[in-house]
Amino acid sequence: MSGFLMAISAGLCAASAAVTAKFTFSSEEGERICYFFHYITFGFAASYDTQVSLVLRAVFFLLTLALNGLMWTTYVKAMQIIGTVKATLTNTSSNLLFTAVFGWLLFNESHSARWFCGATLIVTGILLMQHGGMNQTEHVKGHDESQDGDKKDR
């Protein structure tokens, strides 16, 4: 798997972990998923059941932990393959995108222009850091090569 695909997968896992955490800790979303589970399982929406809710919350908590572990594993592998800055840029961008899509699809959230401006500023900042890091690496590399040349002349 390519490093960029791993970084995108890490962003997807992070956004998915946020969704499962919301189902775990939000009482309103916990009730909603409980009703949905009853509907899928029994074909009708039953009344709120505390025991089923606790079991579902425990399952979603474990899913949150698993998705976070998978996110860190794929993110670290992506950093090893394509470098820290590229992996961070790709992971952050995909996480923001998937978070927006999941929020819209699952929770009927709408994102304001302010949210999109903030997301754009975050990605732009990471791009600028990447560009600055590349220039600094080239400068250090050129400096090291000139020192090597001085040693050969001696």
Side-chain angles (χ1 to χ4, degrees):
M1 184 182 282
S2 77
F4 285 106
L5 192 55
M6 285 185 157
I8 291 169
S9 298
L12 176 62
C13 287
S16 299
V19 168
T20 58
K22 191 166 186 172
F23 284 137
T24 302
F25 297 110
S26 170
S27 60
E28 182 181 316
E29 298 305 330
E31 284 181 34
R32 195 174 93 172
I33 197 68
C34 187
Y35 291 131
F36 180 74
F37 176 76
H38 270 283
Y39 182 75
I40 294 295
T41 306
F42 303 112
F44 61 92
S47 60
Y48 182 74
D49 186 352
T50 306
Q51 291 178 339
V52 172
S53 175
L54 288 174
V55 170
L56 287 174
R57 286 173 188 260
V59 167
F60 279 111
F61 180 73
L62 293 174
L63 274 172
T64 302
L65 294 177
L67 287 166
N68 275 311
L70 185 60
M71 182 275 298
W72 278 108
T73 302
T74 55
Y75 179 55
V76 168
K77 286 182 181 180
M79 287 192 296
Q80 292 170 346
I81 295 171
I82 61 174
T84 305
V85 178
K86 288 180 182 177
T88 301
L89 174 65
T90 307
N91 178 27
T92 303
S93 302
S94 64
N95 186 358
L96 287 169
L97 176 68
F98 288 124
T99 299
V101 170
F102 287 161
W104 176 66
L105 288 175
L106 298 173
F107 305 111
N108 203 25
E109 293 176 354
S110 60
H111 299 291
S112 65
R114 184 182 202 181
W115 186 92
F116 284 103
C117 286
T120 302
L121 287 173
I122 290 169
V123 173
T124 302
I126 295 170
L127 274 170
L128 290 173
M129 287 180 0
Q130 178 185 7
H131 183 68
M134 292 172 102
N135 287 342
Q136 187 176 12
T137 303
E138 291 171 2
H139 175 71
V140 169
K141 187 177 177 183
H143 180 71
D144 290 344
E145 288 174 356
S146 67
Q147 285 182 348
D148 290 343
D150 291 342
K151 289 179 186 176
K152 290 178 185 176
D153 293 338
R154 292 184 200 168

